[in-house]
Amino acid sequence: MSALRTPPTLAQIDQQYEQIGCLGHSGGGFADGGVFLARTRTPRAVALKFIEISDDEDRANFIRELNTLKTLRKNDNPGAERRYLAIVYLEESFLGSDFGCIVMNYVDGGTLADEIQATNMYTERRIAWYALQLSDALAFVHERGISHHD
């Protein structure tokens, strides 16, 4: 993972990543932004999370989110390998004058909401499987002193 860089424009990111489509938009949290599916030059799929930075508070929140993601990269717990796979992780980051960009691994397969809508019947076993995955991921971040607010 490279260090935080300051690109002069979004054109620098466009040189490294070919944007394929929009995965979602946000307007809640600390700033407006969007997440885009992109391809590296290798080619490999990644998710680019862009955040609009309009003031010092937005910039501080962006840096805080980066530091949190860096914490999740540390795998200092011998039993964490299994749970670590459930966490989207930071690959690279950019900080411009009015935006921040976080490059994360892309996880294909849809959302839990999509799965619930597509499936009419759930067995106790399937519900337990989802609950175990969610609990395992939350335990991983909580062990590192992080509270997830989504």
Side-chain angles (χ1 to χ4, degrees):
M1 177 179 64
S2 67
L4 182 65
R5 294 189 273 165
T6 306
T9 66
L10 292 172
Q12 181 177 347
I13 296 172
D14 287 339
Q15 290 173 2
Q16 290 184 257
Y17 301 97
E18 173 190 358
Q19 291 188 34
I20 298 169
C22 182
L23 297 171
H25 290 284
S26 67
F30 67 84
D32 290 331
V35 180
F36 300 88
L37 175 61
R39 186 177 298 123
T40 64
R41 300 296 175 216
T42 21
R44 183 175 51 79
V46 294
L48 302 177
K49 179 179 181 180
F50 284 94
I51 298 167
E52 181 183 332
I53 296 179
S54 59
D55 57 26
D56 289 341
E57 184 179 355
D58 287 344
R59 186 172 300 281
N61 285 330
F62 178 76
I63 299 297
R64 190 172 18 263
E65 182 171 350
L66 281 178
N67 290 335
T68 298
L69 289 170
K70 288 175 186 176
T71 300
L72 294 176
R73 287 287 295 192
K74 294 179 184 174
N75 201 0
D76 53 4
N77 182 345
E81 291 81 9
R82 180 174 53 87
R83 290 180 291 158
Y84 181 71
L85 297 175
I87 304 293
V88 175
Y89 60 87
L90 171 71
E91 291 190 9
E92 189 169 22
S93 59
F94 301 91
L95 180 59
S97 59
D98 61 352
F99 75 94
C101 177
I102 296 172
V103 181
M104 300 170 283
N105 63 310
Y106 173 67
V107 180
D108 193 12
T111 66
L112 180 57
D114 294 338
E115 175 70 17
I116 290 169
Q117 288 179 349
T119 306
N120 293 329
M121 188 173 106
Y122 279 98
T123 63
E124 288 179 11
R125 183 181 203 132
R126 181 178 279 272
I127 292 168
W129 183 71
Y130 287 131
L132 179 60
Q133 288 181 68
L134 290 168
S135 298
D136 219 18
L138 285 172
F140 180 82
V141 299
H142 289 172
E143 286 170 1
R144 284 153 179 77
I146 298 166
S147 296
H148 196 285
H149 298 283
D150 287 347

